[in-house]
Amino acid sequence: MLQKRTWVALSLFIVAGAWFGWRATRRDPAVVSPTDKAERAVLPKLVAADIDELEICEAGKPAVRLQRAGTDKWQLVEPLKDGADPNVVKQAIDALGSARFKDVIAEFASSYAALQVLPEQVVTVVPKKAGAPLATLHIGRTGNVRLGSETRVWSTAGLNRFTFARDVKMWRNREILRFDRAALLTLTLVRAEGARLVFERAQKKKEPETWRVKEGQALVGGAPDESLLSAAAGMLSRLDATDFPQETDLAAMGLDKPRLKVEIALTGDRKLELWVGAELSGGVFASQPGQRVWQVNKSSVQSLLQDPVKWRDKT
C-alpha cells in the first residue's frame, strides 16, 4: 500500500514538475525573445539624406505632408501650402536616420493596448524617396513601433512619438525676424500718435552694450535704459510667431493703423520692419508691410509698447 502511494505521489510530482517546466519555458503567444539575425536583416535602414518627403498621420488630426524644397529647405504641402520650419523637420528626419530597432516584444494585436500601439495611440510616419515609401512606421506613445501591416511590435532606440505628433502650426515656418545682434545699428519706435524714438547702439564691442537716444530725447527725458534696450534687441533678433490668424481684415486686427511701427537698421543697408496691431486672447497681431499676419506673444512685444518715458534709465 505504501509503495503504491509512493508511486502515485512520485507520478504527481513528475507531472507537476513537467507542467511548471512547460509553463516556464513555453513561448508566450504575445511576447517573444530577441529576434535572430534573419529577422533583423529585413528591417528598414533609413538614411536621413535619402528622405525627400514625409507623410505624418495621427488620429483626430489632419494629415501632414512635407517635401524637400532644396538644401535645408522644406515645404509644407498638406493640409495647406506654406514654408516649413527647417529645424523641426530636421529633428524629425535625423530621428528617423538614427533610429535603431532592437527586439520584437509582441507578435499579436492582443498586446497593442498594453504596449500603447493601438491605431488611435500611434502616429504613422511614412518617409519617402522620389515618391516611393521607404517604410511605414506606426510609433506608439512609448516609442514602440509597428511596421507597415505587420502585427509584430518592436522596441526601438532613438524614436520619440512626440517628435512627429505636432499640431500643423508647429510644422510651419514661424520665423518672423532673424538678424545678428552685432549688425544692429538703430532701433526706431514710431507710435500711433506720432511719437518717434530712435535708439542707436554703439558699434564698439563692449559688454554690456551701450546705447544712446538719437531722436526723442525730450520724450525719454534722460539717458536710455541700456539693459531694457538690449533685451528688446535680443527679442527682436529671434522673433517667432505663436500662431497664424485666420482673420483677414487689417482694420479688425489693428494693422491698418498699427499701434507701433518698429524699424530696425542693420549694417549693409539692411532694414527690417515690424508692425504691432491689436491684442487678442493671449497674444498680439503683428505683420511686416505687405506680408502675412502673425500672432505673437503679448509678453514678447509688451516692452516695445510702453510709454517713451519708461525707456529712461532708472539708476
Side-chain angles (χ1 to χ4, degrees), residues 22-289:
W22 173 77
R23 283 295 303 271
T25 59
R26 78 183 181 102
R27 181 171 170 273
D28 191 306
V31 180
V32 296
S33 59
T35 55
D36 59 25
K37 292 182 180 179
E39 284 180 312
R40 291 180 185 272
V42 301
L43 292 172
K45 176 57 180 174
L46 300 173
V47 178
D50 289 343
I51 301 170
D52 57 19
E53 186 175 342
L54 204 57
E55 290 185 0
I56 303 167
C57 298
E58 185 181 4
K61 293 184 179 180
V64 171
R65 186 158 65 94
L66 301 143
Q67 288 182 335
R68 191 184 294 274
T71 305
D72 298 327
K73 290 185 179 180
W74 285 78
Q75 189 77 14
L76 179 64
V77 179
E78 293 179 3
L80 51 84
K81 296 186 184 299
D82 197 3
D85 187 323
N87 295 320
V88 172
V89 178
K90 184 178 186 302
Q91 184 181 5
I93 298 299
D94 287 349
L96 291 170
S98 62
R100 183 166 59 89
F101 293 86
K102 297 165 66 178
D103 300 312
V104 172
I105 55 175
E107 285 194 323
F108 303 107
S110 57
S111 299
Y112 286 2
L115 296 173
Q116 301 187 60
V117 290
L118 289 167
E120 62 270 22
Q121 294 174 315
V122 301
V123 56
T124 298
V125 180
V126 183
K128 296 182 177 182
K129 179 181 181 181
L134 299 172
T136 299
L137 297 86
H138 308 286
I139 306 172
R141 291 177 178 172
T142 57
N144 296 324
V145 173
R146 292 189 285 113
L147 292 171
S149 59
E150 288 191 8
T151 57
R152 294 186 301 175
V153 181
W154 293 80
S155 63
T156 66
L159 276 181
N160 186 326
R161 176 183 186 277
F162 300 102
T163 302
F164 307 92
R166 301 175 184 268
D167 290 336
V168 173
K169 68 180 181 181
M170 301 307 294
W171 292 105
R172 299 174 72 175
N173 191 343
R174 293 173 292 123
E175 180 181 307
I176 301 176
L177 294 174
R178 286 291 187 277
F179 61 86
D180 182 357
R181 285 275 299 277
L184 178 60
L185 298 175
T186 61
L187 176 61
T188 301
L189 307 176
V190 182
R191 298 168 64 88
E193 69 273 16
R196 179 182 174 87
L197 305 176
V198 181
F199 300 102
E200 185 176 44
R201 176 181 170 275
Q203 291 305 291
K204 293 181 179 179
K205 293 183 179 180
K206 292 184 179 181
E207 292 293 341
E209 292 180 324
T210 56
W211 295 77
R212 75 179 184 91
V213 182
K214 188 175 181 180
E215 291 184 36
Q217 181 66 63
L219 295 171
V220 176
D225 186 329
E226 294 178 327
S227 62
L228 193 60
L229 283 163
S230 292
M235 177 275 295
L236 289 167
S237 70
R238 297 194 63 82
L239 182 63
D240 286 338
T242 57
D243 209 342
F244 301 84
Q246 300 301 311
E247 180 65 65
T248 58
D249 186 350
L250 292 178
M253 295 184 287
L255 291 170
D256 59 333
K257 298 177 181 178
R259 288 191 291 163
L260 182 72
K261 293 182 180 180
V262 181
E263 301 168 2
I264 302 163
L266 305 169
T267 56
D269 292 327
R270 185 183 174 203
K271 293 184 179 180
L272 301 173
E273 284 189 67
L274 179 73
W275 289 5
V276 180
E279 292 185 16
L280 70 163
S281 178
V284 176
F285 290 112
S287 73
Q288 291 177 299

